Amino acid sequence: MAVEPRPMTDAERWYRERYASTPERDALFTTVSGEPVEPLYTADDLPEPEQIGFPGEYPFTRGPYPSMYRGRLWTMRQFAGFGTAEETNERFRYLLEHGQTGLSTAFDMPSLMGHDSDHRLSLGEVGREGVAVDTLDDMETLFQGIALGDVSTSMTINAPAAVMLAFYVVAGEHQGTPPERLAGTIQTDILKEYIAQKEWCFPVDPAMRLVTDMVEFCTRRMPRWHPISISGYHIREAGSTAQQELAFTLKDGFTYVEQAIARGLDVDDFAPRLSFFFNAHIDFFEEIAKYRAARRIWAREMREKYGAREESSMLMRFHSQTAGVSLTAQQPLVNVVRTTTEALSAVLGGTQSLHTNSYDEAHALPTEEAVRVALRTQQVIAHETGVTNTVDPLGGSYFVEALTDRMEEAAYDYFAKIDELGGMVEAIKQNYPQREIADASFRYQQEVDEGRRIVVGVNRYADRDEEPIEILRIDPALERKQLDRLQSVRARRRGEDVEAALGRLKEAAAGDANLMEPIVECARAHASEGEIVSALQEVFGTYTETPVF
């Protein structure tokens, strides 16, 4: 018996009779990550209604809170840090005066690597790409005149995060603010360092112990503090696709959850204070889909795999930052357009806080004028565009919902591959995510070099008569100033107290005690960051990366 052919859908009829008869441009009809984009999406591409849900309700595809920006705007948190603590303190005050609603601290490379400013590897790098913080004295100067109990602070540092948190806790004590009242986030995401950013102090396993120590400490002592900002930003900056950023970031997060549960912590005691940090890249709709898929996956896995009972444990709250890697040194003012588009995607994707990059950051740290334009970009989106008037305005979009589903499928494909390798820690040791990112980065750059992927001002619409722009230049004298500050602290402190505190830290590290209290003791004794890190390295050793290829 002959089978009746399936009737043609309206979309298929439209494609054959209308669309196929018109020529297409010679262009890449894919997302920036290489995902094919169909010429049209219809209601047939929508998922089941329960997959979309409502804002503030499981699975939180449409946002973690019912009212979203009708209730409260996202936190406008501009990243700042350069020179010594005094200079950055001035920039903090400037940003607060111009309407910023949270502080975000960028540390210099020596601080990120756990080195003091007088370390041989710090020469020429002190205060260059962030603020130099060697001691408790620097941390107190950084926030001088800023009441720590009244402000939310973000600190972007990972391998030595425990040391910076200890400095911040003691600085709060000296202001009369106990740890229980301190609010903010410290990045602490060490797994993405081995994957992408390459700033580490210790081998993987003891580094993971330190992360779990911080989670446990904050669970018990700092209820307003987010001990980890699980970060896809740097994974994307290293050249990953959106799908890789999503999958590797979430898998890192699940690994931290598993470590904390293994430590004996109840998931509902710590999960509500895990936060995320995503890249807001240039492909507008792909980024929105990424954020929506991230919330849905996190909620499902936290409830079904990790046994979360409290709704707050299933909520994904995230900070976003526009893509530094998308900025061009050529025609830098065009970066204002890129940043605006990226920021709008983060807002339409439901971000809880946002940093907008400055147009001059492909050249140097931003000038005050460039920072002001970046902050005003957020304020225009918030107050002039109307996108905050309704919750999740793109919810139900055929294209966005289809992209969200595809993003979710791609993430689960990566989860399965990572599980086959023994989990994220083992996958990192085998260089799996590192190789995937390297391959993706190569493919993208090849498309740009061949002119198939257009970058305005770089491989198309170039301007040979560009005028140079004014950039921020860090005074080399600031390095000498920081070295003098460090020497002054060492001269004033009680050396025997420092040695005793460091000795107790090494003894604790050799056992299985939580290391946060011994590190806080070292901070109170005015031990430097480098001294604390070196003491731990005597016990833990250091890390050497194996080649990716």
Side-chain angles (χ1 to χ4, degrees):
M1 182 176 176
V3 177
E4 290 290 328
R6 178 179 63 82
M8 187 184 302
T9 67
D10 287 342
E12 290 170 335
R13 178 200 56 75
W14 170 86
Y15 184 84
R16 293 183 185 183
E17 296 179 5
R18 299 288 184 176
Y19 185 81
S21 65
T22 58
E24 287 185 338
R25 288 183 295 113
D26 181 16
L28 274 178
F29 293 108
T30 68
T31 68
V32 74
S33 299
E35 183 70 26
V37 176
E38 299 297 329
L40 183 72
Y41 292 82
T42 71
D44 292 336
D45 297 296
L46 291 176
E48 294 299 319
E50 59 266 23
Q51 289 293 95
I52 302 175
F54 288 90
E57 292 184 2
Y58 184 89
F60 307 104
T61 309
R62 305 195 66 182
Y65 305 119
S67 62
M68 289 301 289
Y69 307 135
R70 281 180 69 112
R72 177 184 175 185
L73 292 174
W74 63 92
T75 300
M76 300 178 190
R77 192 189 298 278
Q78 291 298 110
F79 202 33
F82 62 94
T84 68
E86 285 95 343
E87 285 74 32
T88 300
N89 177 264
E90 290 178 15
R91 178 63 64 87
F92 280 169
R93 290 167 175 269
Y94 173 86
L95 289 168
L96 291 171
E97 288 167 3
H98 282 77
Q100 180 168 304
T101 52
L103 297 176
S104 186
T105 312
F107 295 91
D108 70 358
M109 184 58 71
S111 299
L112 294 172
M113 298 297 294
H115 299 318
D116 286 339
S117 294
D118 59 356
H119 190 281
R120 61 182 179 80
L121 296 178
S122 301
L123 181 64
E125 294 292 337
V126 175
R128 290 287 173 175
E129 61 177 43
V131 62
V133 175
D134 292 318
T135 64
L136 170 62
D137 182 75
D138 290 328
M139 186 66 77
E140 292 188 295
T141 302
L142 184 61
F143 293 98
Q144 188 171 13
I146 299 170
L148 296 186
D150 298 333
V151 70
S152 171
T153 300
S154 173
M155 293 189 282
T156 301
I157 194 162
N158 295 279
V163 180
M164 290 301 170
L165 181 59
F167 287 165
Y168 194 78
V169 165
V170 179
E173 291 175 352
H174 288 179
Q175 284 192 5
T177 305
E180 290 76 12
R181 283 188 52 210
L182 296 174
T185 303
I186 192 162
Q187 198 163 92
T188 319
D189 183 1
I190 195 59
L191 290 177
K192 63 89 178 168
E193 292 296 332
Y194 300 110
I195 293 172
Q197 200 171 21
K198 314 301 184 184
E199 294 163 2
W200 47 63
C201 297
F202 316 110
V204 181
D205 294 318
M208 287 294 290
R209 172 190 171 181
L210 265 177
V211 171
T212 311
D213 285 350
M214 291 180 66
V215 172
E216 184 177 35
F217 178 82
C218 292
T219 299
R220 294 174 177 168
R221 297 288 312 280
M222 303 181 73
R224 301 181 65 206
W225 194 265
H226 298 272
I228 312 178
S229 176
I230 304 155
S231 176
Y233 186 85
H234 309 90
I235 291 172
R236 194 68 179 280
E237 291 288 288
S240 81
T241 65
Q243 293 82 358
Q244 290 167 349
E245 179 193 359
L246 174 66
F248 298 158
T249 304
L250 288 174
K251 199 63 174 174
D252 286 350
F254 296 141
T255 303
Y256 297 131
V257 169
E258 290 162 6
Q259 293 270 331
I261 291 173
R263 178 67 66 88
L265 298 176
D266 186 289
V267 66
D268 288 316
D269 287 340
F270 68 85
R273 283 174 295 101
L274 298 179
S275 64
F276 285 80
F277 175 22
F278 286 112
N279 196 302
H281 216 286
I282 194 64
D283 196 303
F284 187 73
F285 291 106
E286 182 172 58
E287 294 304 289
I288 295 167
K290 178 184 71 182
Y291 306 132
R292 294 163 64 84
R295 279 193 295 267
R296 192 156 75 200
I297 295 170
W298 183 255
R300 179 188 302 117
E301 296 299 301
M302 291 303 292
R303 185 172 77 171
E304 297 181 6
K305 184 172 182 179
Y306 298 108
R309 301 173 302 281
E310 299 294 331
E311 192 173 82
S312 58
S313 299
M314 305 173 205
L315 294 182
M316 169 180 279
R317 289 155 289 239
F318 67 89
H319 171 71
S320 48
Q321 178 177 338
T322 57
V325 74
S326 74
L327 303 179
T328 63
Q330 301 92 328
Q331 301 179 37
L333 285 176
V334 177
N335 291 328
V336 175
V337 181
R338 294 187 177 98
T339 295
T340 302
T341 303
E342 293 164 356
L344 185 58
S345 74
V347 170
L348 290 173
T351 193
Q352 276 59 70
S353 67
L354 177 62
H355 165 93
T356 32
N357 290 329
S358 300
Y359 63 80
D360 54 359
E361 288 189 60
H363 290 273
L365 292 174
T367 62
E368 284 193 357
E369 178 192 12
V371 167
R372 184 169 58 251
V373 171
L375 181 58
R376 294 291 182 256
T377 299
Q378 294 197 47
Q379 292 164 340
V380 168
I381 291 173
H383 301 294
E384 296 188 28
T385 64
V387 299
T388 60
N389 289 342
T390 190
V391 180
D392 188 29
L394 291 180
S397 157
Y398 303 149
F399 183 35
V400 169
E401 299 296 358
L403 269 183
T404 301
D405 285 354
R406 181 68 197 102
M407 191 74 66
E408 184 176 347
E409 292 167 9
Y412 275 101
D413 287 343
Y414 270 116
F415 294 165
K417 294 173 186 175
I418 292 166
D419 288 340
E420 287 175 8
L421 296 172
M424 199 56 172
V425 171
E426 287 304 313
I428 289 170
K429 291 178 180 178
Q430 296 175 45
N431 278 336
Y432 171 69
Q434 296 95 311
R435 285 195 304 272
E436 288 291 299
I437 293 169
D439 289 345
S441 179
F442 177 80
R443 285 193 299 271
Y444 173 81
Q445 191 59 49
Q446 194 172 41
E447 291 174 355
V448 173
D449 292 344
E450 294 172 355
R452 293 183 293 129
R453 179 76 61 187
I454 296 171
V455 180
V456 173
V458 176
N459 62 1
R460 191 78 65 88
Y461 314 113
D463 183 355
R464 300 190 181 191
D465 300 318
E466 280 189 70
E467 292 291 326
I469 62 170
E470 290 292 324
I471 63 173
L472 179 68
R473 300 187 185 278
I474 305 300
D475 186 349
L478 293 179
E479 182 162 338
R480 182 69 258 169
K481 178 181 176 183
Q482 181 63 20
L483 296 181
D484 291 343
R485 287 174 58 91
L486 179 57
Q487 292 171 3
S488 175
V489 169
R490 287 178 176 153
R492 295 195 314 267
R493 69 189 186 182
R494 289 172 53 88
E496 59 270 30
D497 291 346
V498 175
E499 290 303 316
L502 293 172
R504 288 190 293 271
L505 174 60
K506 286 186 280 189
E507 184 179 343
D512 58 4
N514 188 303
L515 297 179
M516 276 307 302
E517 287 292 354
I519 293 173
V520 170
E521 283 187 31
C522 290
R524 290 193 184 107
H526 296 275
S528 70
E529 178 196 31
E531 290 166 338
I532 296 170
V533 169
S534 293
L536 290 171
Q537 286 175 333
E538 287 183 34
V539 181
F540 293 156
T542 56
Y543 178 74
T544 302
E545 184 180 32
T546 55
V548 172
F549 297 106

